[in-house]
């Protein structure tokens, strides 16, 4: 089903990610529909229409919706949008670590045939991970290293707010990492989803020597060895998020619209 007329794009939430998405398409003939919770006083540009509930967002029939409001919004809104035939770009990929949410989304996709779009986020190399995922001996190590400013609360809880050495805050499965750090580990869970069913181990590190958010991925398999390292500038609005994350969402929206907005 091809798009007819100007594009319309829904945004769930209007924080730093959503603001950058809208700004990136300034001057283009796109109708924006922003879902804000009841009582929210968030300011939205005049060219965007604000709705206050999921029913009104569905009724507006956007050609696609971008979730940019955190893991809880994925469970609350994405299954219904997919069931309604509206494709969704999910920023909070870590929400899929919840088995119930993942199952509801899978059912909605299967019944409607609607696309769920998972952007690359803060990392690359996903094509390589997908290629080796089928090999029985594939092992992946994922390390997320960020400046101490991104982990201030966690370090204070450990009494290490003045650390001068790297501190490993977590090591374990991608699902547990996504649950513990819902605003930080979306890229790790994206990598884990791509390389399933291969084993992935995630480490979360606070490093006072860093000024950028660093993602390191090591892959070993019978196909060979690979190492990826991404040193990303933090978002000026949120040091826990890489600046490139919003650019990835913008690219996903642009690609979808360039394709004609097909379901």
């Amino acid at each position: 089903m091809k798009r007819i007329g100007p594009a319309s794009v829904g945004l769930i939430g209007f924080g730093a990610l959503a603001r950058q998405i809208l700004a990136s398409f300034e001057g283009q003939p796109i109708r924006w529909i922003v879902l804000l919770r009841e009582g929210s006083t968030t300011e939205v540009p005049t060219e965007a229409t604000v709705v206050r509930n999921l029913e009104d967002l569905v009724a507006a029939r956007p050609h696609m919706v971008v979730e940019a409001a955190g893991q809880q919004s994925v469970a609350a809104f994405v299954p219904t949008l997919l069931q309604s035939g509206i494709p969704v770009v999910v920023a909070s990929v870590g929400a899929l670590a919840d088995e119930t949410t993942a199952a509801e989304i899978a059912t909605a996709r299967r019944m409607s045939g609607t696309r769920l779009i998972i952007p690359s986020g803060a990392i690359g190399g996903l094509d390589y991970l997908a290629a080796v995922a089928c090999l029985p001996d594939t092992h992946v190590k994922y390390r997320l290293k960020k400046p101490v400013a991104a982990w201030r609360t966690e370090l204070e809880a450990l009494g290490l707010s003045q650390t001068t050495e790297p501190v490993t805050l977590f090591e374990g499965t991608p699902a547990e990492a996504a649950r513990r750090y819902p605003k930080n580990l979306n890229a790790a869970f994206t990598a884990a989803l791509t390389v399933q069913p291969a084993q992935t181990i995630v480490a979360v590190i606070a490093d006072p020597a860093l000024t950028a958010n660093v993602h390191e991925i090591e892959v070993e398999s019978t196909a060979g060895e690979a190492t990826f390292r991404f040193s990303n500038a933090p978002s000026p609005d949120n040091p826990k998020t890489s600046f490139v994350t919003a650019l990835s969402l913008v690219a996903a929206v642009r690609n979808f619209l360039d394709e004609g907005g097909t379901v």
Side-chain angles (χ1 to χ4, degrees):
M1 182 173 63
K2 292 292 185 180
R3 186 177 72 242
I4 299 175
S8 60
V9 178
L11 297 170
I12 299 176
F14 201 70
L17 289 176
R19 285 196 298 271
Q20 187 170 343
I21 293 169
L22 193 149
S24 296
F25 290 93
E26 185 176 2
Q28 298 190 32
I30 296 176
R31 182 170 65 98
W32 298 96
I33 305 136
V34 180
L35 173 61
L36 297 178
R37 69 179 182 276
E38 200 68 50
S40 171
T41 58
T42 300
E43 294 187 3
V44 174
T46 55
E47 65 265 32
T49 299
V50 174
V51 295
R52 296 290 180 176
N53 58 65
L54 179 58
E55 291 75 17
D56 287 346
L57 178 59
V58 171
R61 301 308 303 175
H63 293 104
M64 70 182 308
V65 169
V66 181
E67 173 280 313
Q71 291 189 14
Q72 290 183 337
S73 68
V74 176
F77 304 125
V78 172
T80 298
L81 289 166
L82 293 173
Q83 289 168 5
S84 302
I86 300 173
V88 182
V89 179
V90 172
S92 307
V93 182
L96 301 179
D98 180 80
E99 293 182 359
T100 300
T101 299
E104 290 178 351
I105 287 175
T107 299
R109 292 177 65 191
R110 184 172 60 254
M111 295 179 64
S112 67
T114 307
R115 292 170 62 185
L116 177 74
I117 302 167
I118 297 179
S120 57
I123 60 173
L126 299 181
D127 53 346
Y128 184 92
L129 294 178
V132 301
C134 63
L135 299 176
D137 66 335
T138 298
H139 294 277
V140 179
K141 294 179 181 178
Y142 181 103
R143 287 185 292 273
L144 173 62
K145 302 178 180 180
K146 292 189 178 184
V148 294
W151 303 113
R152 197 171 304 282
T153 300
E154 291 82 358
L155 290 170
E156 287 179 354
L158 295 171
L160 296 172
S161 57
Q162 302 301 316
T163 183
T164 58
E165 299 291 333
V167 177
T168 298
L169 299 171
F170 172 83
E171 187 170 80
T173 68
E176 180 60 24
R179 284 191 290 267
R180 288 199 187 192
Y181 305 100
K183 296 182 179 180
N184 292 273
L185 270 296
N186 288 308
F189 202 74
T190 298
L193 283 176
T194 304
V195 80
Q196 280 183 344
Q199 181 184 29
T200 302
I201 298 298
V202 174
V204 177
I205 300 166
D207 191 337
L210 293 178
T211 57
N213 297 334
V214 175
H215 303 256
E216 295 176 345
I217 306 172
E218 295 180 0
V219 189
E220 294 182 0
S221 72
T222 52
E225 298 179 358
T227 301
F228 302 93
R229 187 178 190 274
F230 306 93
S231 181
N232 300 331
S235 166
D237 297 315
N238 179 8
K240 289 181 177 290
T241 300
S242 296
F243 180 48
V244 74
T245 299
L247 300 178
S248 173
L249 293 172
V250 170
V253 173
R254 182 174 291 116
N255 290 342
F256 180 87
L257 297 179
D258 287 348
E259 293 170 0
T262 56
V263 175

